Amino acid sequence: NQKEFMYATGAMVIIQKLSENQARSEQSSQRIFDKHSNDVTALSFKKSTNLIASGDIGNNPTILIWEANSMAVITEIKTQGIMGLSLLEFSPDGSNYLFALSIDPKNTISIFNCLSGALAHRVTGDTCKIHMTDFITVGINHVKMWRIDSNQLKSMKCKPNKTENQKSSEDQKKSMDLKILCCAVKGKDVIVGTAEGQVLQMKNIVGQMQPSTFMPLPDLGNGLGWGIEAISVTSDNVFIN
């Protein structure tokens, strides 16, 4: 919120409270969550329930779901068969699911029940490095949407249509590959950021996942010239890092 923020350092999660006067005031205080035994590598906050999920590194990492104010642990999940966690995300539709992405070579995706800690479903991702936003994965030349349907994790991959400038030789095709690092959803459109610094938009694919051409945002022209690691959108603006 506007008065507190959280971050991980080592095996601890710090909730930092800022004074109302200024961020660097000596009156600033912090609360420490220290229930992990290994370094914390993933965090997620669910505002509607004031719950935090934290996950650590190592084989068979632990996920703890705890209340932000009291810091009382609600659910402890002892994972099996995966390596350390790189991302946690509560289900955005209000259901009691927690999404977890691990750092093993196949980027294993696990879905846990937040209340019981039971594993609802698990599927391997891709051997290539992938970046996640909610239940969307992005990679080379594609956007993939994941859904939970009757405790089954399903996916649909959307590849862009070939443009008139698409080159024919294999070497030329490789040079045309879009290495997508991050994405954000705006209505039914998906906006992506690439390793080459491009910000591109695929229109009307959320819920449809039909082939769609990647189109550059007009204000950014041919790109920024450096890789885009994070992207967020509002109704009026696109924020990139």
Side-chain angles (χ1 to χ4, degrees):
N1 56 41
Q2 294 181 353
K3 296 181 180 180
E4 289 183 316
F5 64 94
M6 69 176 178
Y7 62 94
T9 176
M12 299 182 295
V13 179
I14 310 297
I15 297 180
Q16 183 76 45
K17 184 176 182 180
L18 302 178
S19 72
E20 294 182 359
N21 296 325
Q22 56 183 4
R24 297 183 180 180
S25 169
E26 294 179 357
Q27 297 177 2
S28 296
S29 61
Q30 58 183 210
R31 295 180 290 127
I32 300 174
F33 181 81
D34 59 358
K35 304 300 183 183
H36 284 276
S37 300
N38 295 307
D39 288 356
V40 175
T41 54
L43 290 169
S44 182
F45 175 63
K46 189 172 184 179
K47 186 175 182 180
S48 62
T49 58
N50 209 39
L51 292 179
I52 294 173
S54 52
D56 55 42
I57 201 165
N59 293 327
N60 304 320
T62 298
I63 299 172
L64 298 177
I65 300 174
W66 44 285
E67 205 277 329
N69 290 327
S70 67
M71 293 190 164
V73 175
I74 307 300
T75 307
E76 180 177 4
I77 302 174
K78 297 282 191 180
T79 66
Q80 296 291 328
I82 62 174
M83 296 176 65
L85 300 164
S86 62
L87 184 144
L88 292 172
E89 188 68 40
F90 286 102
S91 177
D93 63 1
S95 58
N96 292 312
Y97 288 109
L98 181 70
F99 168 92
L101 174 67
S102 65
I103 60 173
D104 59 89
K106 292 188 177 181
N107 298 289
T108 300
I109 301 166
S110 304
I111 305 294
F112 297 96
N113 186 297
C114 294
L115 300 179
S116 66
L119 177 66
H121 195 73
R122 176 172 291 164
V123 65
T124 55
D126 201 315
T127 55
C128 298
K129 187 175 182 180
I130 59 177
H131 297 258
M132 311 293 296
T133 305
D134 291 336
F135 292 97
I136 294 177
T137 64
V138 295
I140 297 178
N141 290 331
H142 78 275
V143 173
K144 182 183 285 189
M145 181 167 293
W146 300 81
R147 295 191 180 99
I148 300 176
D149 184 9
S150 300
N151 285 340
Q152 296 295 313
L153 191 61
K154 299 179 180 180
S155 66
M156 290 185 292
K157 181 182 287 188
C158 181
K159 294 183 178 181
N161 287 326
K162 293 182 178 180
T163 65
E164 294 180 358
N165 296 327
Q166 187 79 34
K167 300 178 182 179
S168 57
S169 73
E170 288 300 318
D171 290 341
Q172 289 174 325
K173 283 182 179 179
K174 290 180 180 179
S175 68
M176 294 283 287
D177 283 342
L178 289 172
K179 299 177 180 66
I180 304 173
L181 301 182
C182 56
C183 71
V185 176
K186 183 178 181 181
K188 291 189 176 182
D189 301 342
V190 173
I191 298 175
V192 303
T194 73
E196 291 75 26
Q198 297 169 294
V199 180
L200 308 172
Q201 186 174 28
M202 298 181 75
K203 289 184 170 293
N204 298 316
I205 65 169
V206 175
Q208 302 296 324
M209 296 306 292
Q210 299 297 322
S212 174
T213 303
F214 286 109
M215 299 297 294
L217 293 185
D219 292 343
L220 293 178
N222 293 325
L224 301 173
W226 57 81
I228 296 174
E229 297 180 349
I231 189 166
S232 179
V233 298
T234 66
S235 57
D236 300 317
N237 299 294
V238 177
F239 299 90
I240 58 178
N241 179 35

